[in-house]
C-alpha cells in the first residue's frame, strides 16, 4: 500500500473481534426500498503511506496522520452501515488502520457483518493490488479507497470491474474525491444495495497503458511523466529539472501536480475523450502551474498536443525513468520501444452527489 517499511506482517483473519452482529430489530427491511439487493457488500482499502512522502520536506504538503485516517474509516463504515448492507470487508494494512477503526466502534452498533481480508502483507503498494483482487473474489459490489492517485492506481491494477468511491488522503489528488467520508460511505452502500442505476451515477475513467514492445507493462490513471534520471531515489516526483515529457488522461488547472501544467494550457476533464502530451524544455511557452503543494512553478513547454483515445505516444527520451501517477516505477533502456496508449477502460468511478440525490428521489432514505 505504501513504500516498504518493515518485515512481513502476519495475515489477519475474520474472527469474533472483527465481526459485528446485526442489532436485534434493526434489519435491512427498515429501508424503504423495494428494488434493493438482499445483501449488498462493500469493501474498503486504505493506504497508511498516502500523504506522507518527501513532498512534506521539499514543498508545503500536509500530513494525513494515521489517527486522521482511522477517523475517516469510522465515518465511512458508519455511512455504509446506515444503508443496510449485509457485509463490510476491510483490507488489512501494516499500520492496522482497519482494526483500529473497528475497535473504536461499539461492537453492537453495526448491523452489517464486518471482517478483515485474510491475506499476507508486504508493506508495499502490491498490498492494495492484492486486496482489490480478493475483493473481486469475495463478490464485493463497491469499494471505497483512501489515498491519492498512486494508491488508486495500485488498487485498479487488482481489478477494474468493481465501482470505486475514491476518498482523497494523498498528495496529488486528481483521481480521488474531496468528499465527506460519511457521505462517501453512504454512496458506496447505495451502490452495493442496487438502489440506483450505477451507470447513471458513474463514469468509466480513462487509463494510460505503458506498452513495452507492444505488450502492456504497467498503467496510470492520471499521468505518466518521463524523467531524465536513471535512479528511483524518492518515489515522488518533485524536481522539475528532470522532467522531459508528460502524458496525461486529465489536465485541469484547478488540480495539484504535473498534470496541471497541461491544464493551464488546455483543460481536459475526465469525460473528454482525449488526453494531452507535453514536451518540457527551456524553449517554447512559459506556463505557471501548481506543481507541488504551495509551489506554483514556471515551466517551459516546448509542445502541447492532444492525444485521442486509442492513440499511442512514443517515449522520445531514452534511457529514462517513467513515473506513473506520481510514483517512479518504470526503467526504460536506451533505444527501447516504449509507448503510452490512451484508453477509456479504467475503473467505474461513482459520483457521490448524483448517487445520494438519485437515491433520495427514489425514496431510499424514507422510513
Amino acid at each position: 500500500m505504501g513504500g516498504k517499511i518493515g518485515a512481513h506482517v502476519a495475515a489477519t483473519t475474520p474472527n469474533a473481534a472483527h465481526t459485528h452482529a446485526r442489532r436485534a430489530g434493526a434489519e435491512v427491511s427498515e429501508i424503504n426500498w423495494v428494488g434493493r439487493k438482499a445483501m449488498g457488500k462493500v469493501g474498503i482499502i486504505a493506504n497508511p503511506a498516502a500523504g506522507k512522502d518527501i513532498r512534506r520536506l521539499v514543498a508545503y504538503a500536509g500530513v494525513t496522520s494515521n489517527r486522521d485516517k482511522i477517523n475517516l474509516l469510522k465515518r465511512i463504515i458508519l455511512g455504509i452501515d446506515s444503508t443496510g448492507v449485509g457485509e463490510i470487508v476491510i483490507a488489512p494494512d501494516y499500520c492496522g488502520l482497519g482494526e483500529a477503526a473497528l475497535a473504536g466502534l461499539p461492537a453492537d452498533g453495526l448491523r452489517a457483518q464486518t471482517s478483515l481480508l485474510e491475506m499476507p502483507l508486504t508493506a508495499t503498494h502490491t498490498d492494495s493490488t492484492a486486496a482489490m483482487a480478493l475483493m473481486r473474489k469475495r463478490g464485493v459490489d463497491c469499494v471505497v479507497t483512501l489515498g491519492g492517485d498512486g494508491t488508486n492506481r495500485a488498487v485498479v491494477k487488482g481489478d477494474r470491474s468493481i465501482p470505486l468511491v475514491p476518498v482523497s488522503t494523498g498528495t496529488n489528488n486528481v483521481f480521488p474525491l474531496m468528499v465527506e467520508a460519511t457521505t462517501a460511505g453512504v454512496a458506496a452502500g447505495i451502490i452495493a444495495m442496487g438502489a440506483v442505476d450505477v451507470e447513471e451515477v458513474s463514469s468509466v475513467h480513462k487509463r494510460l497503458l505503458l506498452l513495452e514492445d507492444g505488450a502492456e507493462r504497467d498503467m496510470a490513471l492520471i499521468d505518466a511523466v518521463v524523467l531524465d534520471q536513471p535512479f528511483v531515489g524518492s518515489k515522488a516526483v518533485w524536481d522539475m529539472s528532470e522532467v522531459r515529457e508528460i502524458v496525461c488522461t486529465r489536465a485541469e488547472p484547478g488540480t495539484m501536480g504535473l498534470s496541471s501544467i497541461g491544464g493551464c494550457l488546455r483543460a481536459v476533464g475526465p469525460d473528454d475523450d482525449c488526453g494531452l502530451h507535453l514536451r518540457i524544455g527551456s524553449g517554447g511557452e512559459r506556463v505557471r502551474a501548481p506543481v507541488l503543494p504551495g509551489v506554483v512553478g514556471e515551466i517551459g513547454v516546448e509542445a502541447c498536443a492532444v492525444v485521442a483515445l486509442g492513440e499511442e505516444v512514443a517515449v522520445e527520451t531514452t534511457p529514462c525513468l517513467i513515473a506513473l501517477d506520481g510514483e517512479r516505477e518504470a526503467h526504460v533502456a536506451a533505444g527501447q520501444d516504449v509507448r503510452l496508449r490512451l484508453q477509456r477502460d479504467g475503473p467505474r468511478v461513482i459520483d457521490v452527489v448524483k448517487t445520494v440525490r438519485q437515491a433520495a428521489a427514489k425514496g431510499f432514505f424514507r422510513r
Side-chain angles (χ1 to χ4, degrees):
M1 290 181 177
K4 188 167 183 178
I5 65 167
H8 173 81
V9 182
T12 308
T13 58
N15 54 41
H18 300 125
T19 302
H20 294 262
R22 290 178 175 271
R23 208 167 49 233
E27 298 299 327
V28 179
S29 58
E30 288 184 352
I31 304 294
N32 183 21
W33 176 251
V34 177
R36 70 185 185 282
K37 294 181 182 178
M39 292 286 285
K41 190 179 297 185
V42 178
I44 302 174
I45 301 175
N47 180 6
K52 297 178 180 177
D53 62 36
I54 194 173
R55 286 168 289 192
R56 276 88 204 143
L57 300 177
V58 300
Y60 300 91
V63 175
T64 305
S65 69
N66 286 348
R67 178 176 295 183
D68 293 333
K69 291 173 184 175
I70 291 167
N71 182 271
L72 287 169
L73 284 172
K74 290 178 183 178
R75 285 144 58 191
I76 289 169
I77 291 167
L78 291 168
I80 295 169
D81 188 63
S82 73
T83 64
V85 300
E87 187 176 353
I88 302 172
V89 182
I90 304 174
D93 63 84
Y94 61 78
C95 288
L97 301 180
E99 292 172 288
L102 289 176
L105 296 173
D108 61 349
L110 299 180
R111 293 177 296 186
Q113 291 185 334
T114 60
S115 63
L116 296 178
L117 283 175
E118 182 177 359
M119 57 177 281
L121 298 179
T122 64
T124 69
H125 67 275
T126 60
D127 290 340
S128 295
T129 305
M132 189 62 165
L134 287 175
M135 296 277 185
R136 171 71 182 274
K137 291 181 180 179
R138 289 283 293 269
V140 168
D141 301 295
C142 184
V143 170
V144 183
T145 61
L146 265 70
D149 294 342
T151 298
N152 284 283
R153 167 179 163 266
V155 168
V156 169
K157 288 174 70 173
D159 185 80
R160 303 198 307 277
S161 67
I162 305 175
L164 292 183
V165 178
V167 178
S168 171
T169 59
T171 308
N172 287 358
N173 297 292
V174 180
F175 182 82
L177 311 170
M178 302 295 287
V179 62
E180 160 55 33
T182 312
T183 309
V186 170
I190 290 169
I191 295 298
M193 293 293 287
V196 299
D197 185 336
V198 66
E199 293 189 3
E200 292 182 1
V201 298
S202 66
S203 59
V204 176
H205 203 273
K206 292 172 282 189
R207 225 174 33 122
L208 281 173
L209 274 62
L210 178 64
L211 305 175
E212 183 179 296
D213 298 324
E216 182 177 350
R217 171 178 170 181
D218 214 321
M219 57 149 283
L221 291 172
I222 299 299
D223 56 28
V225 178
V226 178
L227 304 168
D228 187 13
Q229 165 64 260
F231 305 109
V232 173
S234 168
K235 284 254 182 180
V237 179
W238 56 273
D239 186 355
M240 284 301 302
S241 68
E242 300 174 351
V243 178
R244 295 294 176 266
E245 298 177 64
I246 303 170
V247 182
C248 48
T249 65
R250 294 166 61 175
E252 298 169 280
T255 58
M256 179 60 54
L258 301 189
S259 65
S260 71
I261 300 171
C264 291
L265 290 171
R266 186 195 189 284
V268 175
D271 297 326
D272 294 327
D273 287 332
C274 63
L276 287 183
H277 175 209
L278 308 179
R279 283 196 288 112
I280 306 299
S282 56
E285 193 169 4
R286 305 295 293 179
V287 180
R288 287 179 296 170
V291 293
L292 292 166
V295 178
V296 179
E298 186 174 299
I299 300 97
V301 178
E302 295 181 347
C304 175
V306 173
V307 179
L309 288 180
E311 184 177 347
E312 295 183 2
V313 177
V315 175
E316 300 173 357
T317 305
T318 63
C320 68
L321 191 64
I322 299 180
L324 301 168
D325 291 332
E327 304 283 327
R328 301 170 189 248
E329 293 282 353
H331 288 274
V332 178
Q336 191 172 13
D337 181 18
V338 173
R339 298 170 181 267
L340 294 158
R341 180 195 298 156
L342 180 67
Q343 297 185 178
R344 189 176 290 283
D345 64 348
R348 185 171 290 279
V349 182
I350 300 302
D351 184 315
V352 170
V353 174
K354 283 184 180 179
T355 300
V356 295
R357 281 183 176 175
Q358 189 173 119
K362 291 175 179 289
F364 182 80
F365 300 108
R366 295 178 182 271
R367 293 297 187 182

